[in-house]
Amino acid sequence: MSSQKTVVLNTLQDLAEKDVEAAVERLGEANRQLVEVEKSLAILMQYRADYASQRDNAMANGITAEVYQNYQNFLGKLSQAIVTQTESVERVRQICHLRKQEWQECQKKKMSYDVLLERAEKRVQLAELKKDQKMMDEYAMRASRNNTRQ
């Protein structure tokens, strides 16, 4: 293989490595975002559970209809926030899945360049071995001819 082709393959391999690194960074960022939105969802759910418990305790001690309505309205808003946050979690999970696929594709591309370069290097080594063997054979033939003439 010519050195120009090897240079091209090395360049493509370097570019593929950079693509892999960028994909890893995007995947890592998506995973961090997922942790954050899941944490926010857990906090909202815990807050709603605590607030419902507070409402139940207040009801056991007797509350007015207006106070009860305020509790219910706020719990409704918390439930809506939980629905919205659950949707956010699902969107970020999908992004994580897409980022993982992107990383896998970049990795596969890089590995294919690795294989092509390895094959090219083996071909070059094989050609060098054949060239060396041919030179050794020619040297042996010359030496043999010189010995028979003497």
Side-chain angles (χ1 to χ4, degrees), residues 16-63:
E17 179 64 33
K18 288 178 184 175
D19 287 346
V20 168
E21 290 170 6
V24 165
E25 287 179 24
R26 287 189 295 272
L27 177 59
E29 180 58 31
N31 283 329
R32 282 187 290 281
Q33 287 177 355
L34 180 59
V35 167
E36 288 177 23
V37 294
E38 286 177 333
K39 183 178 177 181
S40 295
L41 177 60
I43 290 169
L44 280 172
M45 292 176 79
Q46 183 60 48
Y47 187 61
R48 181 180 64 179
D50 292 345
Y51 199 76
S53 177
Q54 183 182 352
R55 179 205 56 198
D56 294 344
N57 288 338
M59 284 178 51
N61 294 329
I63 57 173

Side-chain angles (χ1 to χ4, degrees), residues 95-122:
I95 290 169
C96 283
H97 180 71
L98 292 173
R99 295 292 184 246
K100 184 176 180 182
Q101 286 178 330
E102 176 186 4
W103 167 75
Q104 288 172 333
E105 288 299 316
C106 289
Q107 189 69 15
K108 189 186 310 181
K109 185 176 180 181
K110 183 197 169 295
M111 289 172 60
S112 68
Y113 289 129
D114 291 345
V115 168
L116 289 174
L117 269 170
E118 186 178 315
R119 288 180 186 167
E121 289 171 3
K122 284 182 182 179

Side-chain angles (χ1 to χ4, degrees), residues 1 11 13 15 37 54 58-61 70 75 83 88-89 101 110 118 130 144 149:
M1 172 173 256
T11 302
Q13 182 188 36
L15 291 172
V37 294
Q54 183 182 352
M59 284 178 51
N61 294 329
N70 287 341
L75 284 170
V83 167
S88 292
V89 167
Q101 286 178 330
K110 183 197 169 295
E118 186 178 315
K130 286 182 180 181
S144 167
R149 287 184 189 164

